[in-house]
Amino acid sequence: MPMSSAIPKSVLLVCLGNICRSPTAEGIMRQRTAIAGLTMKIDSAGTGDWHIGKHPDLRAQTHAKQHGYNISKLVARQVSPKDFIDFDLILAMDAQNLKDLQAIREVAAQTTNTDSLARLALMSEVDISYLNQDVPDPYYGGEDGFEEVIKRLESSVDAWIHTWQI
Ligand code: 4NP
């Protein structure tokens, strides 16, 4: 059976704050799936609640814009158990995000058949360039961290799209 049967209808990108990595991932995935002719619902969220309602960090907005991604209108929200029902695939930016999401998935599993819950994976799970590596949190670092985030996310988004096109 062709792998294309595994194309998700919806993807949720998740980091800690939903103001740096995951909105950047959302912008990149929106643009690159559109170019690839793939139609899917794409959203992002954070495991934490500190930045709910805020637009992405200005540094993330600026670096994204320099690479052709406008993420200025995105608004942070917190991930919830319902997201495991609403989305087919949930991608965690780092190992801690993945661990936190596994706990939220357990909560969702208590009210829903596990077979129908979102598949959970690391952002880099299919990316041979950064295989199973974290997308490093740029929040407390310098500008170069934001560039590194974009480089890794472009690579990993392309790797996911490749798996959906086989
Ligand atoms: P993000 O970055 O998870 O990529 O959005 C962070 C944003 C805020 C915080 C940590 C990481 N914070 O501690 O407030």
Side-chain angles (χ1 to χ4, degrees), residues 8-15 18 21-23 25-26 29-30 40-47 75-93 97 101 104 118-123 160 164:
K9 289 191 188 67
S10 51
V11 182
L12 181 67
L13 294 312
V14 177
C15 63
N18 193 209
R21 291 167 293 175
S22 61
E26 180 180 345
M29 191 166 273
R30 279 180 185 277
M40 54 184 68
K41 177 172 85 171
I42 298 166
D43 195 10
S44 64
T47 57
V75 178
R77 71 170 180 89
Q78 189 173 27
V79 69
S80 78
K82 189 171 176 288
D83 285 314
F84 282 88
I85 296 157
D86 293 344
F87 288 86
D88 290 342
L89 177 64
I90 299 184
L91 296 177
M93 296 298 128
N97 303 151
L101 286 164
I104 297 167
R119 182 186 163 212
L120 181 56
L122 259 186
M123 186 73 214
W160 279 107
W164 299 330

Side-chain angles (χ1 to χ4, degrees), residues 18-25 27 53-76 138 143 146-147 149-150:
N18 193 209
I19 55 167
C20 297
R21 291 167 293 175
S22 61
T24 303
K54 289 190 197 161
H55 293 299
D57 184 291
L58 283 178
R59 297 166 296 172
Q61 286 191 37
T62 301
H63 284 271
K65 197 174 177 187
Q66 284 167 358
H67 289 266
Y69 310 106
N70 184 347
I71 62 168
S72 62
K73 302 265 186 346
L74 300 181
V75 178
E143 299 292 328
F146 287 84
E147 282 299 300
V149 163
I150 290 173

